Amino acid sequence: MKETSLLMGMPITVEIVDNHAEKDDIEAVYEYFQHVDDVFSTYKKTSEISRINTGEVKLNQYSLEMKEVLEKSEQTKKETQGYFDISHNGSLDPSGLVKGWAILNAAELLKKRGFTNFYVEAGGDIQVSGHNAKREQWKVGIRNPFNREENVKIVKLKTEGMATSGTYIRGQHVYNPLLPDQKLTDIVSLTVIGPNIYEADRFATAAFAMGKQGIVFIENKPELSGYQIDAKGMATFTNSFKKYIV
């Protein structure tokens, strides 16, 4: 069973291979993503994060989810020497971490419902589990940032998460917190494979903000693998990335 729906301003695809999947199972995932959007969307004036930014919601009123995400954001800031920072122009925007966090939580929701073989993708960021409909490892493409109809690499995943950070779809939406006024032009795409989508997503965001040094940062984290494409179309990947290539 497979379905795609537009939520959080992006297509979200859920595929469950296990035979006992029902439409309600996929709907439960979409309801969860809708809830995340209602809490964390910086585009919704009624969201908790927007009301925090306007001062309407005070620190002692934060939800447990908000506290968790803000703590994880602070932890990621420390782990990346400040290259991941949700504070910008006096406001908080944890979007660079929330998507991966939400996808992982959606995957856990499916596991609690008894599923072992599934795929959850939100805006190109992916968490897989088990095998696909052909009883093989999940195969996922990495888009060519200069030709989005083409994949530059196909990778195989079983339990991992994969996230891509870049400027080729949404423009300059990622910034270097250490040099916030300087555009990121050295690289156009950085894909990270991690033990789960939360780890892949947060470090893909931070590493992209580092520019060409981002792939070095990923290389030095043994639990991560990366594939970077620079502005000239030159690809660089970590040593551990090779094992995923189909």
Side-chain angles (χ1 to χ4, degrees):
M1 181 173 286
K2 183 177 181 180
E3 197 170 310
T4 299
S5 185
L6 194 63
L7 281 166
M8 297 170 67
M10 58 189 158
I12 295 179
T13 300
V14 182
E15 181 176 354
I16 306 174
V17 176
D18 301 295
N19 292 331
H20 61 286
E22 302 283 347
K23 188 171 177 62
D24 286 354
D25 297 307
I26 289 181
E27 286 304 314
V29 172
Y30 287 139
E31 285 174 15
Y32 173 69
F33 278 113
Q34 185 62 62
H35 166 73
V36 170
D37 197 40
D38 290 342
V39 174
F40 292 101
S41 173
T42 56
Y43 298 100
K44 291 184 175 180
K45 291 181 180 179
T46 55
S47 73
E48 184 178 352
I49 193 69
S50 292
R51 290 165 66 223
I52 287 171
N53 285 331
T54 59
E56 187 181 339
V57 174
K58 307 300 181 185
L59 184 61
N60 62 350
Q61 299 172 309
Y62 288 9
S63 66
L64 290 176
E65 285 175 303
M66 185 61 67
K67 289 177 181 176
E68 179 185 347
V69 163
L70 296 183
E71 285 171 7
K72 287 180 178 296
S73 298
E74 187 61 29
Q75 176 193 1
T76 305
K77 181 179 179 179
K78 290 175 182 175
E79 289 178 299
T80 60
Q81 292 78 53
Y83 277 97
F84 183 95
D85 192 342
I86 66 170
S87 301
H88 191 46
N89 292 335
S91 294
L92 299 177
D93 181 2
S95 304
L97 176 147
V98 162
K99 184 165 62 163
W101 172 81
I103 295 170
L104 183 60
N105 287 342
E108 291 300 320
L109 186 154
L110 290 175
K111 287 179 182 177
K112 286 176 183 174
R113 285 175 169 250
F115 300 113
T116 54
N117 303 292
F118 59 82
Y119 165 107
V120 182
E121 175 186 359
D125 293 348
I126 299 153
Q127 178 66 50
V128 305
S129 178
H131 60 71
N132 63 19
K134 296 180 180 178
R135 303 193 69 81
E136 299 171 347
Q137 284 184 279
W138 293 94
K139 292 183 176 66
V140 183
I142 296 176
R143 293 269 175 86
N144 180 347
F146 302 102
N147 176 11
R148 284 192 270 162
E149 302 302 311
E150 177 186 49
N151 288 321
V152 290
K153 281 284 180 288
I154 304 290
V155 298
K156 56 183 187 296
L157 306 173
K158 189 173 182 182
T159 59
E160 299 87 357
M162 186 174 96
T164 297
S165 192
T167 53
Y168 63 97
I169 294 178
R170 293 172 57 196
Q172 292 282 335
H173 71 286
V174 183
Y175 74 102
N176 176 354
L178 307 183
L179 296 166
D181 297 325
Q182 184 176 302
K183 288 188 176 182
L184 296 167
T185 56
D186 286 353
I187 64 173
V188 292
S189 171
L190 176 58
T191 298
V192 174
I193 298 173
N196 59 59
I197 184 56
Y198 167 69
E199 299 294 345
D201 184 36
R202 68 190 185 117
F203 286 122
T205 303
F208 189 87
M210 298 176 189
K212 284 193 173 182
Q213 289 304 305
I215 197 69
V216 178
F217 173 81
I218 299 298
E219 174 69 55
N220 289 326
K221 294 191 77 64
E223 73 278 17
L224 303 176
S225 300
Y227 187 91
Q228 176 181 285
I229 301 174
D230 70 15
K232 296 179 180 177
M234 182 72 69
T236 308
F237 51 89
T238 63
N239 285 307
S240 59
F241 183 82
K242 300 169 192 172
K243 67 184 177 186
Y244 296 106
I245 299 173
V246 173

